[in-house]
Amino acid sequence: MTAGETSAGMDRLGRKADDSDLLDHAVRVGLVAFGIVHLLIAWLAAQLAFGDSAGAASGSGALAELAQKPFGEVLLWVVGLGFYALVVWMLIEAVLGHRDADGLKRLGRRLASTGKAVIYGALGTSALKIAIGAGSGDDTDTLTSRLMSLPLGQLLVGAVGVGVLVVGGAHLYKGFSEDFREKLDVKGNSGTSGRVYAGLGKAGYLSKGVALLVVGALFVYAAWTHDPEKSGGLDQALKTVLEQPFGAPLLVLIAAGLACYGLFCFAWARHLDR
């Protein structure tokens, strides 16, 4: 088979994936799951701002919180399978997607889709582990310690931090530019509801971007000081924000923004435009 025939075959597979109603339904379930997790993180962040630090305001911490709710175990299975649906979507995008871009731009987008698949897979696995009672809480410190103990571990932790900083910066760019509106169909971009969705997305992407920048900075600082205890996930990042002057009001704003992102995920699921 020639390179041209291979490329044509990949394009046909990509078009089939684009037209798949089954994949649309799976992605919508995943986006709803993503929205639920962000609403829980927002709730935990608000509790942290008002003096209750019992819960971990991270993805895995939010999932552990969900497990305590009525029908929590069932919801965790739904959320976990929803995240795996997003993994499938991102892997398809990584292999077959982004055909509207060329060269390095396409490569960059496909690498970004691969990274998202890893993140969604980790969250899905956390949800299912908590559902069966095999895991809980945030493992960021353990992960950082393991990375730091590897050859060139300090550089690896620093690279993780830089990667998170890039993702945080991308979220800020999307928030300011409103590029996220491309994710919604025509109905999701028109009328009063379109303006509401745009406001939710803008607040959500900006707030999430700020939080990710703090997470990335913590990883870079841990690598610089060669101290894994200086790193931290989203929970530690929000606690770091709280420790700053006017930290509590700022954390409330971030919590509100994360809630907006969660609501935007629901709008995204309803008006999905792949």
Side-chain angles (χ1 to χ4, degrees):
M1 182 178 290
T2 65
E5 290 173 335
T6 300
S7 178
M10 296 291 278
D11 283 341
R12 283 194 297 272
L13 287 174
R15 286 192 293 272
K16 285 183 179 180
D18 288 342
D19 297 335
S20 171
D21 290 336
L22 178 61
L23 183 58
D24 279 347
H25 294 320
V27 170
R28 286 189 170 97
V29 172
L31 290 173
V32 169
F34 207 34
I36 291 171
V37 169
H38 277 82
L39 289 178
L40 287 169
I41 293 173
W43 169 249
L44 292 171
Q47 287 184 307
L48 184 64
F50 291 112
D52 181 3
S53 58
S58 61
S60 54
L63 294 170
E65 180 75 9
L66 181 59
Q68 308 303 317
K69 306 301 181 186
F71 307 106
E73 185 175 332
V74 174
L75 290 173
L76 280 172
W77 278 98
V78 173
V79 167
L81 295 175
F83 275 124
Y84 284 138
L86 291 179
V87 170
V88 173
W89 178 30
M90 286 298 103
L91 289 178
I92 291 174
E93 290 287 288
V95 177
L96 304 172
H98 308 297
R99 296 188 307 280
D100 56 333
D102 295 311
L104 290 177
K105 189 174 183 180
R106 177 186 288 185
L107 177 62
R109 289 182 178 180
R110 288 184 169 179
L111 288 174
S113 294
T114 302
K116 290 178 182 178
V118 172
I119 293 170
Y120 295 150
L123 287 170
T125 300
S126 292
L128 297 185
K129 286 174 67 176
I130 294 170
I132 63 176
S136 63
D138 187 41
D139 297 325
T140 305
D141 290 339
T142 302
L143 174 61
T144 309
S145 300
R146 290 175 180 172
L147 285 176
M148 201 79 82
S149 65
L150 296 173
L152 302 177
Q154 197 169 353
L155 290 177
L156 288 173
V157 173
V160 170
V162 171
V164 176
L165 288 172
V166 170
V167 174
H171 275 71
L172 290 179
Y173 173 78
K174 287 181 180 180
F176 283 118
S177 67
E178 298 188 5
D179 274 5
F180 57 83
R181 299 185 73 162
E182 297 177 358
K183 302 174 184 291
L184 306 177
D185 61 18
V186 174
K187 289 184 179 180
N189 275 301
S190 58
T192 302
S193 60
R195 289 191 292 272
V196 171
Y197 298 154
L200 291 173
K202 194 175 192 72
Y205 273 96
L206 291 176
S207 297
K208 192 173 179 181
V210 170
L212 289 172
L213 287 179
V214 179
V215 173
L218 290 172
F219 270 93
V220 171
Y221 184 62
W224 182 263
T225 59
H226 200 48
D227 184 357
E229 293 184 1
K230 299 296 184 182
S231 72
L234 184 57
D235 183 56
Q236 183 59 42
L238 296 178
K239 288 179 180 177
T240 300
V241 170
L242 184 62
E243 293 168 357
Q244 308 309 308
F246 305 104
L250 180 57
L251 188 53
V252 170
L253 287 176
I254 291 175
L258 292 172
C260 287
Y261 188 89
L263 294 174
F264 175 76
C265 286
F266 297 155
W268 186 3
R270 181 179 181 183
H271 297 285
L272 176 66
D273 183 8
R274 291 194 294 117

